[in-house]
Amino acid sequence: MSIENVMVIGAGQMGSGIAQVCAQAGYTVVLHDLKPEFTERGMSGIRKNLQRQVDKGRMEDGEKEDILARMSLSTDLENAANADLVIEAAVENMEVKSALFAELDNIAQKKTILATNTSSLPITEIAAATQRPQKVIGMHFMNPVPVMKLVEIIRGLATEDSVYKAVEEMTEKLGKVPVEVNDFPGFVSNRILMPMINEAIYTVYEGVAAPEAVDEVMKLGMNHPMGPLTLADFIGLDTCLYIMETLHDGFGDDKYRPCPLLRKYVKAGWLGKKSGRGFYTYET
């Protein structure tokens, strides 16, 4: 199963990062989003990332230009007809993803693999929106994509072995480490990470310690490079809440109940770094 042409849907931080690493690995990449300003913003970020590598002496200027030459922008989903692999990195919402996969199923060639970068939603349910569930798979990249080595690869109930193998080999070609994970809410990464973040929020909510103290304990005592509340602000508190709700709905277990303080911050629009305020304040 040969993969040469890749379409990445969603030109946000995750999607543009995925597009960048694919182009760096030699794939021809189409970066797609709903509006030209979204794709242009994504491409601008990629150019800055690559230029930073040139400035640090990690990449030649000619190599940067070759990578950019392998990339093109799209606002027409019909371009999926030319892809061997489509990687979806759209908003973390089941209705949006299901509708998108149903549309892609009608456009893409029968041999095309449809992958999702979902961080918590069931692959089997997304695959059920298509007539090719055997060719649907999860590829959960970590943020920031160019830096982080892990990719969780998640089979749906019907995913073929050949599809898994092709995606595993491609992940290695990207310079990443593929880890096979079964299709359960949150997979491994967020099933473990998000309850830890949620518990850290509870310690603030219950007055056990201030956010700075919680983060210091985890950094100095557990050798975490970043405290859980700082990390939550970087991920986005709305995203943390959504994933906790997915875990709570998926398992029906009270240990996944989102902290009321997390809900309060999200309702207040305190979403973390992207909004300028979360558990800490940021320059916007």
Side-chain angles (χ1 to χ4, degrees):
M1 198 172 285
S2 177
I3 298 172
E4 294 176 8
N5 300 310
V6 178
M7 180 185 229
V8 179
I9 297 178
Q13 192 173 14
M14 291 301 292
S16 58
I18 294 166
Q20 178 185 322
V21 297
C22 288
Q24 281 182 231
Y27 295 98
T28 303
V29 180
V30 175
L31 180 60
H32 174 90
D33 214 316
L34 296 171
K35 295 180 181 177
E37 54 263 40
F38 298 161
T39 56
E40 285 293 348
R41 192 183 308 139
M43 186 58 90
S44 174
I46 291 168
R47 286 194 194 97
K48 284 177 187 170
N49 285 345
L50 295 175
Q51 187 58 49
R52 205 173 294 125
Q53 296 303 307
V54 173
D55 294 343
K56 289 178 179 176
R58 295 174 184 167
M59 181 183 290
E60 296 293 326
D61 199 60
E63 188 183 349
K64 179 195 80 173
E65 294 305 322
D66 287 346
I67 292 165
L68 292 171
R70 286 193 286 273
M71 303 186 71
S72 59
L73 303 180
S74 160
T75 53
D76 184 357
L77 205 59
E78 293 291 332
N79 289 316
N82 303 315
D84 302 311
L85 169 69
V86 178
I87 305 174
E88 169 272 320
V91 64
E92 189 74 348
N93 178 287
M94 181 56 82
E95 286 183 15
V96 171
K97 290 186 190 296
S98 293
L100 184 55
F101 270 70
E103 202 172 345
L104 286 168
D105 190 39
N106 290 327
I107 296 168
Q109 300 172 58
K110 293 300 176 192
K111 65 170 187 174
T112 301
I113 298 170
L114 304 180
T116 174
N117 181 53
T118 180
S119 57
S120 61
L121 297 172
I123 307 305
T124 300
E125 191 174 337
I126 294 170
T130 75
Q131 300 300 311
R132 66 177 88 194
Q134 72 280 6
K135 296 210 180 300
V136 177
I137 196 164
M139 286 183 84
H140 181 210
F141 290 80
M142 302 295 124
N143 189 21
V145 178
V147 176
M148 302 296 276
K149 290 290 186 186
L150 173 67
V151 180
E152 287 183 304
I153 303 182
I154 309 102
R155 298 174 191 254
L157 205 55
T159 307
E160 290 176 344
D161 286 345
S162 59
V163 169
Y164 177 86
K165 194 69 185 164
V167 168
E168 181 183 50
E169 287 173 2
M170 179 196 178
T171 301
E172 289 170 346
K173 191 176 173 184
L174 298 180
K176 307 297 183 189
V177 178
V179 176
E180 184 174 1
V181 175
N182 287 323
D183 191 15
F184 282 84
F187 315 131
V188 170
S189 54
N190 281 321
R191 183 172 176 174
I192 294 170
L193 174 65
M194 286 302 162
M196 184 191 76
I197 287 175
N198 196 51
E199 196 62 30
I201 297 169
Y202 264 114
T203 62
V204 175
Y205 177 61
E206 293 170 0
V208 177
E212 294 83 355
V214 173
D215 280 352
E216 278 301 276
V217 166
M218 296 306 289
K219 284 191 293 180
L220 300 180
M222 283 66 187
N223 207 26
H224 289 196
M226 183 185 290
L229 298 173
T230 302
L231 180 56
D233 274 358
F234 275 78
I235 292 168
L237 300 188
D238 52 341
T239 301
C240 293
L241 176 58
Y242 186 84
I243 294 171
M244 284 307 299
E245 288 174 334
T246 300
L247 291 168
H248 194 223
D249 292 345
F251 291 113
D253 191 324
D254 265 0
K255 71 180 179 181
Y256 299 114
R257 182 171 65 93
C259 179
L261 185 61
L262 176 58
R263 289 193 187 279
K264 193 174 189 178
Y265 275 29
V266 171
K267 284 179 180 174
W270 296 5
L271 308 181
K273 192 171 188 296
K274 62 186 174 186
S275 69
R277 180 159 190 177
F279 287 96
Y280 302 95
T281 54
Y282 303 87
E283 298 279 338
T284 52

